[in-house]
Amino acid sequence: MSSETAIPRSVAARIPLRAPRSLRERLVGVVLLVCAACSVITTLGIVLVLIVETTAFFREVSFRQFFGDIQWTPLFAKKHFGIWALVSGTVLTSAIAILTAVPLGLMAAAYLSEFANERIRRLLKPSMEILAGIPTVVYGYFALTFMTPLLQKFIPSLAGFNALSPGLVMGIMIFPTVASLSEDAMYAVPTSLREAAYALGATRLATTFRVVMPSAFSGIGASVILGVSRAIGETMIVAIAAGQQPRFTFDPRVPVETMTAYIVQVSLGDTPTGTLEYRTIFAVGMVLFVFTLALNVVAHRLRQGVLKDSVQ
């Protein structure tokens, strides 16, 4: 090779050479593949069990009985299978939780991201996230023994078991999730956008709500949907404080039962395996699965729409 075509050593040293993969690297790759496949296999197993048991349930109960009735008494002598009694309780408690957590979470995120100095932010954010680590059974007894008596002083007609108290406590529970993820999304907004808003004469408050929050909409939306999913799937708080009385109502002052609370009630009871009463938990679980799946699809579409708009 001539000197004109020879590659200098300094250049040749920077050219990445792909060494043959060793046995250890191949083994690590296989282990990682198995770990990644476990989640898919587990999900498929859960869906398969739900489908098999739910199909067996609907062989004895018609869709009209399941979706056309508002009474839910599968454990009584006179049986009714109206799922809307459990759906209304789940929607009611989850709505109260979201109406509590989202405004508080967004306000806290706006303060930590745009108004607090770095020292206060490093102090308040970990302290706020401690709330997410408290066991839900503690929240349940807090709702029953503290929140309900406190609310009864202002709402005399509030029952001892009700939807309002667990809904508010669920909002307190998911508040750190909404606040932390929203603050991360707002904090990641480029500083140049804020500076451009200030240069146009916008105040810090206007910049926060009209520039930073719309720019962080994808992360904020994901945090809200994650909070909704956790509220819908919450079990212990509603099982302890909501009353476990299935009824089709949207009155937060009366006892209700959610889908998750009913599953716990039957799973921990003496209902024989394989009976129609036992299979009701799989039918309810399928409805709950469809709810969470729909939320995940909405979150995915929301994220895709925001990314498409940002590219355009």
Side-chain angles (χ1 to χ4, degrees):
M1 181 180 293
S2 63
S3 59
E4 291 81 2
T5 59
I7 301 177
R9 291 185 178 181
S10 60
V11 177
R14 294 196 296 266
I15 298 178
L17 299 178
R18 191 169 185 178
R21 297 179 63 187
S22 63
L23 179 61
R24 179 180 297 179
E25 290 180 345
R26 294 178 181 177
L27 181 60
V28 170
V30 172
V31 172
L32 294 177
L33 176 62
V34 171
C35 292
C38 281
S39 61
V40 178
I41 295 173
T42 303
T43 304
L44 292 177
I46 293 173
V47 173
L48 181 62
V49 170
L50 284 176
I51 291 176
V52 171
E53 295 293 341
T54 303
T55 302
F57 170 80
F58 280 113
R59 289 196 186 103
E60 302 182 55
V61 178
S62 66
F63 283 96
R64 182 177 180 180
Q65 291 176 283
F66 194 69
F67 294 106
D69 195 354
I70 60 173
Q71 297 185 50
W72 180 263
T73 57
L75 305 180
F76 289 22
K78 188 176 181 181
K79 301 182 184 301
H80 291 271
F81 299 94
I83 190 61
W84 297 113
L86 298 180
V87 171
S88 65
T90 302
V91 171
L92 179 60
T93 55
S94 300
I96 295 172
I98 293 304
L99 291 176
T100 303
V102 172
L104 293 177
L106 292 183
M107 295 304 103
Y111 172 74
L112 291 175
S113 175
E114 304 302 316
F115 295 91
N117 57 46
E118 191 64 25
R119 181 180 178 182
I120 296 178
R121 181 176 180 269
R122 288 199 304 265
L123 177 65
L124 288 182
K125 189 174 181 181
S127 302
M128 179 182 62
E129 291 174 347
I130 292 176
L131 290 172
I134 299 176
T136 56
V137 66
V138 176
Y139 278 116
Y141 282 108
F142 174 76
L144 180 63
T145 61
F146 177 80
M147 186 63 72
T148 296
L150 178 63
L151 292 174
Q152 285 176 334
K153 295 180 180 179
F154 303 96
I155 310 175
S157 59
L158 187 69
F161 294 100
N162 55 83
L164 181 60
S165 176
L168 291 175
V169 174
M170 284 167 56
I172 297 173
M173 180 191 68
I174 65 178
F175 155 73
T177 301
V178 176
S180 180
L181 294 179
S182 298
E183 193 274 338
D184 289 338
M186 295 172 64
Y187 194 75
V189 173
T191 307
S192 58
L193 294 179
R194 298 178 177 88
E195 294 175 347
Y198 296 148
L200 293 174
T203 62
R204 178 177 291 186
L205 188 64
T207 301
T208 300
F209 288 99
R210 303 188 66 177
V211 176
V212 177
M213 280 190 174
S215 300
F217 181 73
S218 177
I220 293 174
S223 70
V224 172
I225 292 177
L226 182 61
V228 173
S229 299
R230 188 172 181 187
I232 290 177
E234 175 53 39
T235 304
M236 291 308 301
I237 297 177
V238 291
I240 293 173
Q244 297 188 6
Q245 296 183 23
R247 64 180 70 191
F248 183 76
T249 181
F250 292 100
D251 186 353
R253 300 171 299 174
V254 299
V256 296
E257 185 172 33
T258 65
M259 291 185 283
T260 54
Y262 174 77
I263 293 174
V264 171
Q265 177 187 358
V266 175
S267 299
L268 299 181
D270 54 357
T271 306
T273 303
T275 60
L276 176 62
E277 292 81 2
Y278 181 77
R279 289 197 176 101
T280 56
I281 65 175
F282 295 97
V284 174
M286 177 61 77
V287 175
L288 190 62
F289 175 79
V290 171
F291 267 47
T292 55
L293 178 63
L295 289 174
N296 289 332
V297 171
V298 170
H300 179 72
R301 293 290 180 87
L302 180 64
R303 181 174 179 272
Q304 292 296 323
V306 171
L307 290 178
K308 184 178 179 180
D309 293 339
S310 62
V311 171
Q312 291 177 350

